[in-house]
Amino acid sequence: MALTDVRVAPPEPEPAAEITDRARHERRLGLILSAPAFVVMVFVTAYPLVYAVVLSLYNYRLTDPAGREFVGLGNYATVLTDPVWWSDFGTTLIITVVSVAVELVLGFAFAFVMYRVIRGRSWVRTGILIPYGIVTVVSAYIWQFAFQLDSGFVNQWFGLGDFNFFGERWSALFVIILSEIWKTTPFISLLLLAGLVQVPEEMQEAARVDGATAWQRLWRVTLPNMKAAIMVALLFRTLDAWRIFDNPFIMTRGANDTETLSFLAYRQNVTLVNLGAGSAVSVLLFLTVVVIAFIFVKGFRTDLSQVRGDR
Amino acid sequence: MGDRKAGVWWTVSGMVILVWALFPLLWMVSLSFKDPDTFRSQEPTFFPQDWVWDNYKTVFTDSLFTSALRNSIGIALIATALSVIIAMFAAYAIARMDYPGKKFLLSMALAIAMFPQAALVGPLFNMWRNLGIYDTWIGLIIPYLTFALPLSIWTMSAFFRQIPWEMEQAAQVDGATAWQAFRRVIVPLAAPGVFTTAILTFFFCWNEFLLAISLTSTDRARTVPAALSFFTGASQFESPITYIMAASVVVTIPVVILVLIFQRRIMAGLTAGAVKG
């Protein structure tokens, strides 16, 4: 059902003139009630985004306001030919792909357990919500200190001697991704659980009677019926992971090629107050998000506005 | 027999999930009770050799942390309240009325939910400085409000759609005024959805870090996540690790309390309207 089809019409038939009167009144009230939300969202996102586009066309450093000059697309050329952009792009891509893939598998496993478990069900469901609520910075510190040489237990437990996890790219990324997975798997598994509950039990039964194995039932009955849930979980987690900032900032400050795109935008804009190039990075980051959303919409052939609810 | 065996297996799996979710917290608590001077002199152990309260004393006497805690509580509560009120109007209109632009509003909210906040730090940094609200509460409340709105609007309109609105008319037929009918029938039905949305919004504001470090520079408005990243401990010669963990325990307590009390509601809120069909 489309979003506009929600039950809103007056229940009993009334004279035509009154309906239009009512409808007009309803339209006005609807617009008035929506206006504050609309205004706030435009003021803090649309307007600054346009402003970012404008800024990105200038060479503009806060440390040198007088030197501000129009450079057209020069900043974009600078950013896109800089190996730092591509290195950060790669890092972001690795973190996103690995964490979302692992979370999807793990999230499924958790969802199945939460669906089937009887003893201590509410304990499991309560427990799994706690990582979701933890402040990401806190989660980053927890994992960092666990893997750090002078404070952590990991090296001892796994006999790694004095291996420095934060001394090189891949092991540092491993810890960053681990923290990300710990914190956000609950979100994905709860969405999948909600999808799992919707799969009609009779269909499972029918497949069982027809002699389908557990594996066949999973692939032929369960998963196809959860398509909407999987889609929503994947889309939201992918875009969320793509914006990752807190974990690398806390754990490595971007050292050893662990800087992400959000980090780059922050560093250019806030640390270096290089607003021209920083805005170009911001706009490019925004565009990558649009492209990812577009790919998802095309790939899953789903109307985005219908992704959540109302069906 | 097979069923019982399967039941045991699921229970064990459930316990594994619990350990997976809670073990890192145990580590956080353990580290927060370690002696800041000696914890790194020997081989690090999982549990402290001596349990000490020093770290908690330090964080609560550190003005950086106490002011950050005040800022976090104030900013998160105000942003949550404003966001829920504004979103409530919009969600009510979306669930209840037919008007042009409704679909647009929902799509826009969805787009903002996916918006990379980092793309705004530059422009907001500059705008807020020009407007004189850089490093103030309001300078954080406005963007938090905005980024919490999409979630609030979607979640609340999903809850509101499930309300049988005809009941209000039925009450009016029974002699209640329109306002009485709304207050007595609809408000109690809508309250759980509003409340759930408020908890999720609070989590979001409590957790936010990127804007918090980009739009603040002093303890005037710096929230706990931002302050944590600047924490240096009692003196520059001491490692701040144990203090950071004590501070982390303090900011985790409200989250754990909310989760323990409102587990069902939070789950309902996270999945409201997300996966039907």
Side-chain angles (χ1 to χ4, degrees):
Chain A
M1 203 202 280
L3 288 169
T4 42
D5 293 343
V6 194
R7 277 184 267 133
V8 281
E12 65 272 4
E14 283 169 72
E18 205 178 323
I19 289 176
T20 37
D21 243 22
R22 261 197 156 199
R24 198 179 301 130
H25 176 72
E26 193 173 283
R27 291 174 83 162
R28 263 194 56 188
L29 191 59
L31 286 174
I32 292 171
L33 290 175
S34 306
F38 180 79
V39 170
V40 172
M41 289 195 286
V42 168
F43 174 67
V44 180
T45 53
Y47 178 73
L49 188 66
V50 173
Y51 186 48
V53 173
V54 173
L55 277 177
S56 71
L57 302 176
Y58 286 85
N59 187 356
Y60 180 31
R61 291 168 195 268
L62 275 189
T63 45
D64 177 24
R68 178 173 168 151
E69 58 165 335
F70 186 79
V71 291
L73 295 176
N75 284 321
Y76 291 94
T78 313
V79 172
L80 288 174
T81 52
D82 195 316
V84 170
W85 163 267
W86 293 107
S87 161
D88 290 6
F89 189 91
T91 305
T92 313
L93 190 66
I94 292 165
I95 294 175
T96 304
V97 170
V98 176
S99 64
V100 173
V102 174
E103 283 175 29
L104 194 62
V105 175
L106 209 56
F108 253 114
F110 287 8
F112 272 112
V113 173
M114 285 192 285
Y115 186 53
R116 293 282 176 210
V117 74
I118 296 165
R119 265 163 185 271
R121 169 180 283 193
S122 73
W123 279 98
V124 177
R125 292 185 175 184
T126 307
I128 206 169
L129 275 176
I130 289 179
Y132 170 78
I134 295 275
V135 174
T136 314
V137 168
V138 168
S139 149
Y141 275 128
I142 291 175
W143 290 101
Q144 186 195 344
F145 297 160
F147 279 85
Q148 204 158 283
L149 269 176
D150 60 353
S151 58
F153 57 91
V154 172
N155 279 20
Q156 260 177 293
W157 285 18
F158 296 95
L160 295 171
D162 53 5
F163 177 72
N164 180 4
F165 272 91
F166 301 99
E168 55 150 314
R169 184 184 194 197
W170 294 105
S171 53
L173 282 181
F174 170 78
V175 185
I176 289 169
I177 291 171
L178 187 65
S179 173
E180 183 80 359
I181 289 172
W182 178 72
K183 156 111 177 112
T184 52
T185 300
F187 174 76
I188 227 170
S189 64
L190 287 178
L191 285 194
L192 294 177
L193 174 64
L196 203 54
V197 175
Q198 308 258 324
V199 178
E201 195 66 36
E202 311 86 65
M203 281 175 80
Q204 297 274 18
E205 239 1 271
R208 201 197 306 262
V209 169
D210 289 347
T213 62
W215 192 246
Q216 283 171 328
R217 272 180 283 141
L218 175 68
W219 281 101
R220 300 282 172 75
V221 181
T222 311
L223 292 185
N225 276 294
M226 290 175 65
K227 202 181 151 201
I230 297 170
M231 153 85 188
V232 176
L234 266 184
L235 173 68
F236 274 78
R237 268 306 300 145
T238 303
L239 287 172
D240 206 27
W242 189 256
R243 297 177 290 188
I244 183 171
F245 175 78
D246 307 13
N247 276 315
F249 184 90
I250 292 295
M251 292 192 195
T252 61
R253 305 265 156 169
N256 296 317
D257 290 330
T258 56
E259 189 177 77
T260 61
L261 291 177
S262 285
F263 200 150
L264 180 63
Y266 165 81
R267 194 161 57 86
Q268 286 293 333
N269 282 307
V270 180
T271 316
L272 303 175
V273 288
N274 190 354
L275 293 181
S279 296
V281 171
S282 301
V283 174
L284 287 170
L285 175 62
F286 173 72
L287 290 178
T288 59
V289 168
V290 172
V291 168
I292 294 173
F294 183 77
I295 292 171
F296 265 93
V297 178
K298 283 285 162 199
F300 285 85
R301 290 191 192 81
T302 312
D303 181 356
L304 256 193
S305 60
Q306 290 181 29
V307 162
R308 296 190 63 160
D310 209 39
R311 281 209 285 161
Chain B
M1 237 359 236
D3 267 7
R4 184 177 296 171
K5 219 170 136 188
V8 171
W9 198 86
W10 289 118
T11 309
V12 171
S13 311
M15 280 159 64
V16 171
I17 294 182
L18 264 184
V19 170
W20 175 88
L22 301 181
F23 173 76
L25 296 191
L26 186 66
W27 165 240
M28 168 174 73
V29 173
S30 156
L31 204 46
S32 76
F33 282 104
K34 286 187 177 180
D35 184 342
D37 297 321
T38 61
F39 88 100
R40 55 158 101 213
S41 61
Q42 317 104 324
E43 282 276 274
T45 53
F46 188 86
F47 287 110
Q49 250 101 23
D50 319 292
W51 297 71
V52 296
W53 282 98
D54 296 16
N55 304 306
Y56 289 91
K57 281 182 205 144
T58 307
V59 295
F60 278 110
T61 50
D62 185 327
S63 65
L64 181 64
F65 180 73
T66 50
S67 66
L69 198 58
R70 214 169 30 241
N71 292 337
S72 262
I73 294 171
I75 290 170
L77 286 181
I78 295 172
T80 301
L82 288 176
S83 156
V84 168
I85 291 167
I86 294 176
M88 194 163 59
F89 290 141
Y92 176 79
I94 287 165
R96 201 65 218 281
M97 296 164 189
D98 198 12
Y99 60 99
K102 187 160 94 172
K103 196 170 175 179
F104 177 74
L105 187 75
L106 275 171
S107 311
M108 181 171 145
L110 195 66
I112 290 174
M114 298 169 180
F115 204 91
Q117 282 93 328
L120 292 185
V121 293
L124 284 183
F125 177 72
N126 210 23
M127 282 166 63
W128 273 200
R129 281 166 23 113
N130 292 334
L131 290 171
I133 55 170
Y134 176 75
D135 198 26
T136 61
W137 277 26
I138 188 81
L140 279 186
I141 289 170
I142 293 172
Y144 283 12
L145 166 64
T146 311
F147 285 109
L149 270 178
L151 176 81
S152 305
I153 292 175
W154 275 96
T155 320
M156 258 196 275
S157 57
F159 277 118
F160 285 2
R161 280 199 191 106
Q162 295 162 0
I163 294 176
W165 296 99
E166 300 80 18
M167 283 173 66
E168 192 185 352
Q169 279 150 353
Q172 283 189 48
V173 170
D174 288 348
T177 66
W179 173 245
Q180 278 176 333
F182 182 77
R183 219 188 68 81
R184 297 276 172 79
V185 179
I186 298 304
V187 171
L189 287 173
V194 173
F195 192 72
T196 305
T197 309
I199 296 176
L200 292 177
T201 306
F202 180 81
F203 276 6
F204 168 81
C205 300
W206 194 245
N207 181 37
E208 209 290 325
F209 176 60
L210 173 62
L211 295 166
I213 55 165
S214 306
L215 303 177
T216 64
S217 59
T218 65
D219 60 8
R220 209 147 62 108
R222 201 169 262 163
T223 59
V224 172
L228 274 179
S229 72
F230 292 103
F231 217 40
T232 49
S235 79
Q236 63 183 93
F237 303 107
E238 279 180 339
S239 160
I241 290 178
T242 54
Y243 304 123
I244 289 175
M245 285 290 103
S248 299
V249 171
V250 175
V251 296
T252 303
I253 289 170
V255 170
V256 173
I257 292 173
L258 286 176
V259 167
L260 286 179
I261 302 178
F262 301 113
Q263 179 254 121
R264 274 167 195 284
R265 291 230 174 121
I266 297 170
M267 276 190 48
L270 281 176
T271 52
V275 284
K276 292 191 188 125

